[in-house]
Amino acid sequence: MRLVIVGSGIAGLSAAIRAREGGVDDVVVITRDRHGGSSWRAQGGIAVPIDDSDVKAHVNDTLVAGRYLNDEGVVWSYIGLARDVLNWLIRHGFEPCRGRSLEGGHSRARVVRARIGGDRIGEAVMSVLTRVSEEVGAQVIEGRLDSIEVNNNRVVGITLDDGDFIKADAVVLATGGYAGLYLYSTNDGDGSGIETAMRAGALVRDLEFVQFHPTVAMLNGDLFLISEAVRGEGARLVNKDGEYFMRRYDERAELAPRDVVSRAVYNELVRTGGVYLDVSPIKDFEEKFPAISSFLRAHGLRPGKDLIPVVPAAHYAIGGIAVDALGRTSVRGLFAIGEASSSLFHGANRLASNSLLEALVQGYLVIRAFKAYYSGGAWRYPVIGRYDVVVHTRCRLASYVDMGRVRDVLWRYVGIVRSEDGLRRAIDELEGSLLPSLITKAAMIRRESVGVHYRVDYPSWSGTKFHILFRCGDEA
Ligand code: SIN
C-alpha cells in the first residue's frame, strides 16, 4: 500500500507520520526543499479551545470571521479535534507555552504558542514533525511535481519534472497555497500544486479569497511578519499624523478580524502616507517576540521601543483545491490538505492561527479517508452548493510567463481593494497564466464585498452564500 504525499510542511508531514502510525507500509514524501516552505516561517500559534466550554465560542469566532461562508460541519469537526491533535503533537515532543495568547477575532485567549522561541511556532512544530517523520520511516524524495497521473478518474501515481514516474495507490497534495504570487507576501506558495491538480481534473474553489496580513514590517525592502499576537499583547496602530485610528473603523479596534484591520491599514497608508505599530505597551517584548526582535535589530530599530513601520501583505490563500472534510477532491485517489485545499473551514476570512490547526487536523483525517478508500474504494466528492457557480475554463498555459509582471498585476489590481476596471485590466494582462487569471476571474464574478474580498464598486454583501469553482474543460 503506497501513499505519496507531495509537500513537506505541517500538513504533509503530519499526514506522513499519521500514515506510518496507522500501518501504511510505504509512505513517500516528495519535497522541493525539506527546509523550505511557509510552515517553517509561521508565527502566532495553534488556535485550540481552552476547554469544553470554549468549543462553541471558538466555532462561533471562526464563523463570524468567515462571514458564515464556512461549512459549519467542517468547523465543528476540526475544532472538535483541536485538543486531540495538540496532545498528539505534545506526545511527540512539542512544548507549548504555559499561557494562551489572544489574537484578532478570538473572543478568548486560546492561541497556543511555543514554549521556546515564542513567535517561532513554525520552527518549533516543523522540527518536531521532521524528526518524527524520519523516526517512523517516511521516505523523503527531493523533486518537483510535474503531473498527477489519472486512469479512469482514479489516481495511479505522479510524474516528477525529471520524468520519473512514481506509482501510488493515492496521492495527497500538501503543496501550499498561492499568496506568494503577490508582489508583497509573507508566503512562499506559488500555487503550482493547485494548477497541477486542476490539470488532473480537480475542482478549485474560492480563489478570490486571498488573506492580507495587516502588519508586515517593511524595512530597507525586507518584509517580516509582525504577528497578530503582538496586537494581542497590546500593541496599537498609529498613522503618520499620530492618530490611533482603529476605533474609527471597528469597536474591536486592533483585535478586529484581519480583513477589517488590513483594509483600515491600507486606507490610512493611502490617506496619511504611513502606518506604524506602537509596541511600547508590551512588557518584555524581546523575550516574547525573539524572531521579530532580531529582525528589528538587524534593521537598526530598538525592539519594544521604536515604532515599527507596517504595510499589509498577501499572507494566506483561503481558496484552493475543493475538498470535503476529509481532504477528498473531485478525483478519486487524490487528496488535498493544508493551504493547498479549500475545505470551507475558513469561509471568507480565516481566523488567526486556525491554519496550523486545519493542517494538523487534516493530516489526521486524510489518513482515515485514505485507508477507507484503499480497503473498500470509499469516496465522497466535495459538495457543490445550490447557489455555487461552476466555471469551465480552458487550462491553456502560455509558453512563457513573466512572473515579475504577474506579481505586480495581482498586487495592483487584485489586492486588498478591487474594482471592475482594475480586474478587467488584470484579466487582459494575465492571459496564459492559469491560477493568477482564475483568481482575477473569481474576483470579477463576485460582485459584492465579503470577508477578504472587497470591491469598491460593490461595497456590501449580497446576502447569498455561494462559492465560485473552476474546472478545466471547454469554456461555456
Ligand atoms: C500571526 O501571528 O499573525 C500569523 C498567524 C496566522 O497567520 O494565523
Side-chain angles (χ1 to χ4, degrees):
M1 163 178 24
R2 176 185 279 168
L3 180 64
V4 168
I5 298 167
V6 189
S8 61
I10 291 175
L13 289 186
S14 56
I17 297 166
R18 297 285 196 169
R20 291 290 297 134
E21 289 177 342
V24 179
D25 48 10
D26 191 359
V27 177
V28 180
V29 177
I30 309 293
T31 178
R32 287 185 194 175
D33 172 6
R34 64 184 86 186
H35 303 293
S38 301
S39 288
W40 284 97
R41 293 204 269 143
Q43 291 187 28
I46 311 168
V48 177
I50 298 161
D51 50 32
D52 282 350
S53 72
D54 189 36
V55 172
K56 192 167 176 201
H58 188 172
V59 166
N60 193 50
D61 293 345
T62 300
L63 296 173
V64 169
R67 307 299 193 277
Y68 295 88
L69 258 70
N70 329 58
D71 178 322
E72 224 173 303
V74 169
V75 175
W76 275 101
S77 115
Y78 287 14
I79 290 174
L81 285 164
R83 279 174 297 160
D84 284 354
V85 295
L86 175 64
N87 288 335
W88 174 81
L89 203 56
I90 292 171
R91 279 201 301 283
H92 282 304
F94 169 72
E95 294 182 66
C97 220
R98 205 180 278 273
R100 303 278 186 108
S101 298
L102 185 64
E103 293 189 1
H106 288 275
S107 54
R108 291 180 73 180
R110 63 166 76 89
V111 175
V112 176
R113 302 177 75 219
R115 188 175 75 79
I116 299 167
D119 54 354
R120 294 189 170 104
I121 183 79
E123 258 177 68
V125 174
M126 282 300 292
S127 318
V128 169
L129 296 179
T130 304
R131 171 180 52 75
V132 178
S133 63
E134 283 164 15
E135 285 167 7
V136 298
Q139 192 196 341
V140 177
I141 296 177
E142 288 204 0
R144 274 175 176 267
L145 176 69
D146 180 69
S147 53
I148 297 158
E149 307 307 332
V150 180
N151 202 349
N152 289 331
N153 194 31
R154 226 185 154 95
V155 165
V156 292
I158 60 167
T159 303
L160 300 182
D161 71 348
D162 61 6
D164 273 4
F165 170 69
I166 301 175
K167 192 170 180 305
D169 292 301
V171 171
V172 177
L173 289 182
T175 45
Y178 51 87
L181 289 171
Y182 281 74
L183 182 61
Y184 299 114
S185 176
T186 61
N187 193 300
D188 298 332
D190 63 3
S192 55
I194 299 172
E195 287 188 346
T196 310
M198 275 195 88
R199 284 190 274 114
L203 278 161
V204 296
R205 179 169 56 202
D206 283 352
L207 296 180
E208 70 278 26
F209 293 142
V210 178
Q211 183 172 64
F212 291 81
H213 197 289
T215 56
V216 178
M218 176 134 73
L219 292 166
N220 312 321
D222 284 348
L223 290 179
F224 198 85
L225 183 77
I226 307 296
S227 172
E228 189 139 347
V230 173
R231 276 174 283 130
E233 289 283 333
R236 297 184 64 199
L237 285 158
V238 57
N239 64 22
K240 202 159 187 172
D241 298 340
E243 183 202 0
Y244 291 90
F245 57 83
M246 265 317 297
R247 280 218 182 272
R248 240 193 312 115
Y249 289 88
D250 194 291
E251 59 183 16
R252 293 161 291 183
E254 273 75 6
L255 292 179
R258 232 170 241 183
D259 57 325
V260 175
V261 185
S262 291
R263 273 194 300 279
V265 169
Y266 175 86
N267 280 343
E268 294 301 310
L269 263 174
V270 172
R271 210 175 62 83
T272 71
V275 172
Y276 308 84
L277 251 188
D278 172 5
V279 295
S280 60
I282 304 178
K283 275 209 207 104
D284 307 321
F285 183 87
E286 297 209 46
E287 206 178 294
K288 287 178 180 150
F289 302 104
I292 295 172
S293 296
S294 54
F295 173 83
L296 295 175
R297 227 177 290 108
H299 287 86
L301 291 190
R302 292 168 306 162
K305 297 200 168 59
D306 290 333
L307 291 177
I308 307 171
V310 289
V311 293
H315 180 57
Y316 184 87
I318 292 170
I321 304 161
V323 296
D324 79 340
L326 306 188
R328 293 177 283 213
T329 72
S330 40
V331 180
R332 291 170 78 83
L334 181 64
F335 298 88
I337 56 175
E339 200 180 341
S341 72
S342 155
S343 65
L344 302 181
F345 177 47
H346 305 303
N349 178 37
R350 176 176 67 84
L351 186 66
S353 290
N354 261 356
S355 51
L356 301 199
L357 169 62
E358 181 187 48
L360 289 163
V361 169
Q362 289 180 323
Y364 162 65
L365 292 175
V366 76
I367 300 308
R368 281 184 29 195
F370 165 61
K371 287 166 80 176
Y373 169 67
Y374 181 78
S375 57
W379 198 262
R380 184 172 178 269
Y381 295 107
V383 171
I384 297 174
R386 187 164 161 209
Y387 300 108
D388 289 357
V389 178
V390 181
V391 182
H392 292 251
T393 183
R394 274 194 217 111
C395 288
R396 267 184 328 223
L397 292 177
S399 52
Y400 170 75
V401 175
D402 176 351
M403 286 313 291
R405 184 73 196 133
V406 166
R407 288 199 173 89
D408 193 49
V409 168
L410 283 178
W411 179 257
R412 232 176 247 262
Y413 303 118
V414 202
I416 300 172
V417 174
R418 302 161 174 182
S419 72
E420 187 90 11
D421 285 352
L423 292 170
R424 276 194 193 291
R425 195 162 168 174
I427 282 177
D428 290 344
E429 298 232 18
L430 294 172
E431 178 73 38
S433 169
L434 181 59
L435 206 58
S437 75
L438 296 185
I439 298 167
T440 312
K441 282 182 186 160
M444 183 95 122
I445 294 169
R446 191 173 285 282
R447 288 188 162 157
E448 60 175 359
S449 292
V450 59
V452 297
H453 171 72
Y454 183 77
R455 296 268 309 246
V456 267
D457 39 0
Y458 297 95
S460 44
W461 182 46
S462 65
T464 306
K465 288 192 209 170
F466 69 98
H467 300 274
I468 300 163
L469 299 100
F470 292 95
R471 85 166 354 134
C472 290
D474 286 335
E475 270 164 43

Short mmCIF file of all heavy atoms in Angstrom, two decimals, residues 8 38 50 79 93 130 138 145 166 168 195 197 219 227 255 287 295 298 304 310 424 427 433 473-474:
data_model
loop_
_atom_site.label_atom_id
_atom_site.label_comp_id
_atom_site.label_asym_id
_atom_site.label_seq_id
_atom_site.Cartn_x
_atom_site.Cartn_y
_atom_site.Cartn_z
N SER A 8 6.19 19.03 2.17
CA SER A 8 6.75 18.61 3.47
C SER A 8 6.57 19.71 4.51
O SER A 8 7.44 19.93 5.34
CB SER A 8 8.23 18.26 3.31
OG SER A 8 8.94 19.41 2.85
N SER A 38 6.47 27.71 3.66
CA SER A 38 5.90 28.70 4.59
C SER A 38 5.73 28.17 6.01
O SER A 38 5.73 28.95 6.96
CB SER A 38 4.54 29.16 4.07
OG SER A 38 4.70 29.70 2.79
N ILE A 50 -9.88 26.28 24.87
CA ILE A 50 -9.25 26.17 26.19
C ILE A 50 -9.80 24.96 26.94
O ILE A 50 -9.07 24.24 27.61
CB ILE A 50 -9.54 27.46 26.98
CG1 ILE A 50 -8.93 28.65 26.23
CG2 ILE A 50 -9.02 27.39 28.41
CD1 ILE A 50 -9.48 29.98 26.62
N ILE A 79 -12.60 21.91 14.89
CA ILE A 79 -12.36 22.49 16.22
C ILE A 79 -12.57 21.43 17.31
O ILE A 79 -11.86 21.39 18.31
CB ILE A 79 -13.23 23.75 16.42
CG1 ILE A 79 -12.66 24.85 15.50
CG2 ILE A 79 -13.25 24.22 17.88
CD1 ILE A 79 -13.44 26.13 15.43
N GLY A 93 6.69 15.59 21.36
CA GLY A 93 7.80 16.43 21.82
C GLY A 93 7.60 17.93 21.67
O GLY A 93 8.49 18.70 22.04
N THR A 130 9.59 16.97 11.52
CA THR A 130 10.68 16.47 10.67
C THR A 130 11.37 15.30 11.37
O THR A 130 11.61 14.25 10.76
CB THR A 130 11.70 17.61 10.39
OG1 THR A 130 10.99 18.70 9.81
CG2 THR A 130 12.79 17.18 9.45
N ALA A 138 9.14 7.47 7.18
CA ALA A 138 8.57 8.01 5.93
C ALA A 138 9.75 8.32 5.01
O ALA A 138 10.72 8.95 5.43
CB ALA A 138 7.77 9.27 6.22
N LEU A 145 6.97 18.17 -8.54
CA LEU A 145 5.81 17.54 -9.17
C LEU A 145 5.59 18.13 -10.56
O LEU A 145 5.57 19.35 -10.72
CB LEU A 145 4.59 17.82 -8.29
CG LEU A 145 3.24 17.33 -8.81
CD1 LEU A 145 3.18 15.80 -8.79
CD2 LEU A 145 2.11 17.91 -7.95
N ILE A 166 6.24 7.87 -10.32
CA ILE A 166 6.14 7.20 -9.02
C ILE A 166 4.72 6.67 -8.87
O ILE A 166 3.76 7.44 -8.84
CB ILE A 166 6.48 8.16 -7.85
CG1 ILE A 166 7.90 8.70 -8.05
CG2 ILE A 166 6.37 7.46 -6.51
CD1 ILE A 166 8.31 9.74 -7.04
N ALA A 168 1.44 5.10 -7.23
CA ALA A 168 0.84 5.33 -5.91
C ALA A 168 -0.58 4.79 -5.87
O ALA A 168 -1.29 4.81 -6.89
CB ALA A 168 0.81 6.82 -5.60
N GLU A 195 -2.51 24.15 -9.56
CA GLU A 195 -2.65 24.08 -11.03
C GLU A 195 -2.51 22.64 -11.52
O GLU A 195 -3.26 22.20 -12.41
CB GLU A 195 -1.56 24.94 -11.70
CG GLU A 195 -1.80 26.42 -11.56
CD GLU A 195 -0.83 27.26 -12.40
OE1 GLU A 195 0.19 26.73 -12.88
OE2 GLU A 195 -1.10 28.45 -12.55
N ALA A 197 -3.23 19.95 -9.90
CA ALA A 197 -4.45 19.23 -9.55
C ALA A 197 -5.57 19.55 -10.54
O ALA A 197 -6.33 18.66 -10.96
CB ALA A 197 -4.89 19.61 -8.13
N LEU A 219 11.25 46.99 5.96
CA LEU A 219 12.41 47.80 6.30
C LEU A 219 13.51 47.56 5.30
O LEU A 219 13.92 46.40 5.09
CB LEU A 219 12.89 47.43 7.72
CG LEU A 219 11.93 47.82 8.85
CD1 LEU A 219 12.29 47.15 10.16
CD2 LEU A 219 11.90 49.33 9.04
N SER A 227 3.60 39.42 14.06
CA SER A 227 2.48 38.56 14.44
C SER A 227 1.32 39.33 15.07
O SER A 227 1.51 40.28 15.83
CB SER A 227 2.98 37.51 15.44
OG SER A 227 1.90 36.79 15.95
N LEU A 255 -7.99 44.37 17.56
CA LEU A 255 -8.28 42.94 17.58
C LEU A 255 -9.52 42.58 16.77
O LEU A 255 -10.09 41.50 16.94
CB LEU A 255 -8.40 42.45 19.03
CG LEU A 255 -7.05 42.51 19.77
CD1 LEU A 255 -7.20 42.05 21.21
CD2 LEU A 255 -6.00 41.67 19.07
N GLU A 287 11.69 39.17 24.92
CA GLU A 287 11.52 37.79 25.41
C GLU A 287 10.32 37.12 24.74
O GLU A 287 10.37 35.98 24.33
CB GLU A 287 11.27 37.89 26.91
CG GLU A 287 11.68 36.66 27.69
CD GLU A 287 11.40 36.93 29.15
OE1 GLU A 287 12.08 37.84 29.73
OE2 GLU A 287 10.47 36.30 29.66
N PHE A 295 14.88 40.64 13.85
CA PHE A 295 14.67 41.32 12.56
C PHE A 295 14.78 42.85 12.75
O PHE A 295 15.44 43.54 11.98
CB PHE A 295 13.31 40.95 11.97
CG PHE A 295 12.96 41.74 10.74
CD1 PHE A 295 13.46 41.36 9.49
CD2 PHE A 295 12.16 42.87 10.80
CE1 PHE A 295 13.16 42.10 8.34
CE2 PHE A 295 11.86 43.62 9.66
CZ PHE A 295 12.37 43.21 8.43
N ALA A 298 18.32 43.97 13.41
CA ALA A 298 19.15 43.90 12.19
C ALA A 298 18.89 45.10 11.27
O ALA A 298 19.72 45.42 10.42
CB ALA A 298 18.86 42.60 11.44
N GLY A 304 10.72 46.82 20.96
CA GLY A 304 9.95 47.18 22.16
C GLY A 304 9.91 48.68 22.38
O GLY A 304 9.18 49.16 23.24
N VAL A 310 4.60 49.55 9.23
CA VAL A 310 3.96 48.32 8.72
C VAL A 310 3.12 48.59 7.48
O VAL A 310 2.63 49.71 7.28
CB VAL A 310 3.05 47.65 9.80
CG1 VAL A 310 3.88 47.01 10.90
CG2 VAL A 310 2.03 48.62 10.36
N ARG A 424 -10.59 44.03 -14.94
CA ARG A 424 -10.59 43.85 -16.41
C ARG A 424 -9.18 43.99 -16.96
O ARG A 424 -8.72 43.21 -17.79
CB ARG A 424 -11.48 44.89 -17.08
CG ARG A 424 -12.90 44.49 -17.10
CD ARG A 424 -13.75 45.33 -18.05
NE ARG A 424 -15.13 45.06 -17.77
CZ ARG A 424 -15.75 43.91 -18.02
NH1 ARG A 424 -15.09 42.93 -18.63
NH2 ARG A 424 -17.00 43.72 -17.69
N ILE A 427 -7.18 40.91 -16.09
CA ILE A 427 -7.53 39.74 -16.91
C ILE A 427 -6.79 39.80 -18.25
O ILE A 427 -6.22 38.81 -18.70
CB ILE A 427 -9.05 39.62 -17.09
CG1 ILE A 427 -9.62 39.04 -15.79
CG2 ILE A 427 -9.44 38.74 -18.29
CD1 ILE A 427 -11.10 38.91 -15.72
N SER A 433 -1.68 32.74 -17.89
CA SER A 433 -1.11 32.41 -16.57
C SER A 433 -2.28 31.89 -15.74
O SER A 433 -3.12 32.66 -15.28
CB SER A 433 -0.52 33.71 -16.02
OG SER A 433 -0.20 33.55 -14.71
N GLY A 473 -11.79 22.47 -18.75
CA GLY A 473 -12.73 21.91 -19.72
C GLY A 473 -13.04 22.99 -20.73
O GLY A 473 -12.49 24.08 -20.65
N ASP A 474 -13.95 22.68 -21.64
CA ASP A 474 -14.28 23.69 -22.64
C ASP A 474 -15.07 24.81 -22.00
O ASP A 474 -16.00 24.55 -21.24
CB ASP A 474 -15.10 23.06 -23.78
CG ASP A 474 -14.18 22.21 -24.64
OD1 ASP A 474 -12.98 22.51 -24.65
OD2 ASP A 474 -14.69 21.26 -25.25
#
